[in-house]
Amino acid sequence: MALSPPYVSVADGRTITESVIRALAVVAGAFLFAGVFSSLGATLLGVPVPLDASSTSAGLYAAVNAISFVGFILAAVGYLRVRDDRSLVHLRRPRPSDLGWAMVGLVGILLGSLVMGAVVELLSALAETLFGVTVESGQNSIVTQGRENPVLFLYMVPVALFFVGPAEELVFRGVVQGLFRRAFGVVPGLVFASLLFGLGHYLAISSGSAWTYILTAGALGLVLGAVYEHTESIVVPALAHGLWNAGLFVANYYVATTAATLPG
């Protein structure tokens, strides 16, 4: 397994500088390509930009989102091809045990989410007590728009499984974590990649306090990164990530169409 000593192995200064710059460039490229593909997809499908679930059919809205994540995949694959560095990403033939580890990752994400929810609630209470500042948890823009058009959540389920999970994992766990691992070792690489993963979710926030959403996303990134290093297969965190997002969409659809509430 990859999670073996040395957990920390700092490379020379040149390798560190190059790895950090390249990781940031891949992330920037992923978001740039995602924006370009989103605009192209919207134009081809006749969808007005910026996307608005209240004026766009749920199917077209989800389709444009799916197309945008092709930009993420292109950025990651493009980097690996240009640098001829495909060994950076752990990829192997799937094993039966991978499904079990994906479930372990899913449970880990759930537990991490619950823990971070409690941490955020505690920090929010402290901020209100000490500074009189009311902190609202950050909300994903798709969740916000889906509440106006709940069927959007169902359309986003296959997008989460086949586009969001694989694309984000290929970029953040595959290329970015691989570059940081090369520069700093397994554990620091995992932590730095998860931090960048959390910060990358800033653009997905439509309301509430950004730091609450970033902290939670970063913590979930730690779980996905650990599963990835343990299994040495990018498919495992991609599956866990996709299942988690899909489950959230199904839960939000249920809440939006009934009088139920999600457990707090």
Side-chain angles (χ1 to χ4, degrees):
M1 296 299 178
L3 275 176
S4 58
Y7 299 116
V8 179
S9 178
V10 180
D12 59 273
R14 179 176 178 178
T15 299
I16 291 174
T17 301
E18 289 180 348
S19 296
V20 171
I21 291 175
R22 289 171 182 171
L24 294 175
V26 169
V27 172
F31 281 103
L32 176 61
F33 289 165
V36 171
F37 273 74
S38 178
S39 296
L40 289 175
T43 300
L44 291 173
L45 296 174
V47 176
V49 178
L51 291 178
D52 185 353
S54 63
S55 60
T56 304
S57 73
L60 290 177
Y61 187 102
V64 173
N65 268 276
I67 292 171
S68 72
F69 279 98
V70 174
F72 265 65
I73 296 173
L74 180 63
V77 173
Y79 174 82
L80 295 173
R81 284 186 174 275
V82 169
R83 296 296 308 171
D84 193 21
D85 197 8
R86 297 169 195 173
S87 63
L88 193 66
V89 178
H90 294 322
L91 182 62
R92 56 165 173 73
R93 187 183 299 275
R95 302 168 183 164
S97 60
D98 288 344
L99 181 58
W101 279 110
M103 294 302 103
V104 169
L106 195 59
V107 172
I109 293 173
L110 174 60
L111 295 176
S113 179
L114 293 174
V115 170
M116 287 310 300
V119 170
V120 167
E121 187 174 342
L122 175 61
L123 293 177
S124 299
L126 286 174
E128 187 169 0
T129 300
L130 297 176
F131 308 107
V133 177
T134 301
V135 178
E136 295 182 4
S137 297
Q139 291 293 327
N140 185 287
S141 58
I142 293 179
V143 172
T144 302
Q145 298 209 42
R147 288 169 180 168
E148 301 175 6
N149 185 11
V151 73
L152 173 62
F153 290 128
L154 298 183
Y155 277 98
M156 287 301 299
V157 168
V159 176
L161 288 170
F162 299 112
F163 291 91
V164 180
E168 290 193 353
E169 291 308 299
L170 184 58
V171 169
F172 287 101
R173 242 59 61 189
V175 176
V176 172
Q177 189 163 311
L179 286 167
F180 284 148
R181 183 198 311 115
R182 179 176 294 168
F184 305 106
V186 174
V187 174
L190 192 161
V191 172
F192 291 146
S194 299
L195 175 61
L196 199 53
F197 178 70
L199 292 172
H201 280 72
Y202 176 81
L203 296 176
I205 303 169
S206 62
S207 63
S209 298
W211 68 267
T212 63
Y213 196 87
I214 290 171
L215 276 179
T216 301
L220 303 191
L222 288 173
V223 175
L224 292 167
V227 170
Y228 172 55
E229 292 293 350
H230 183 73
T231 61
E232 297 185 320
S233 173
I234 194 66
V235 174
V236 178
L239 179 58
H241 189 162
L243 287 171
W244 172 255
N245 282 14
L248 288 180
F249 288 135
V250 171
N252 274 284
Y253 174 79
Y254 177 73
V255 169
T257 54
T258 67
T261 58
L262 290 174

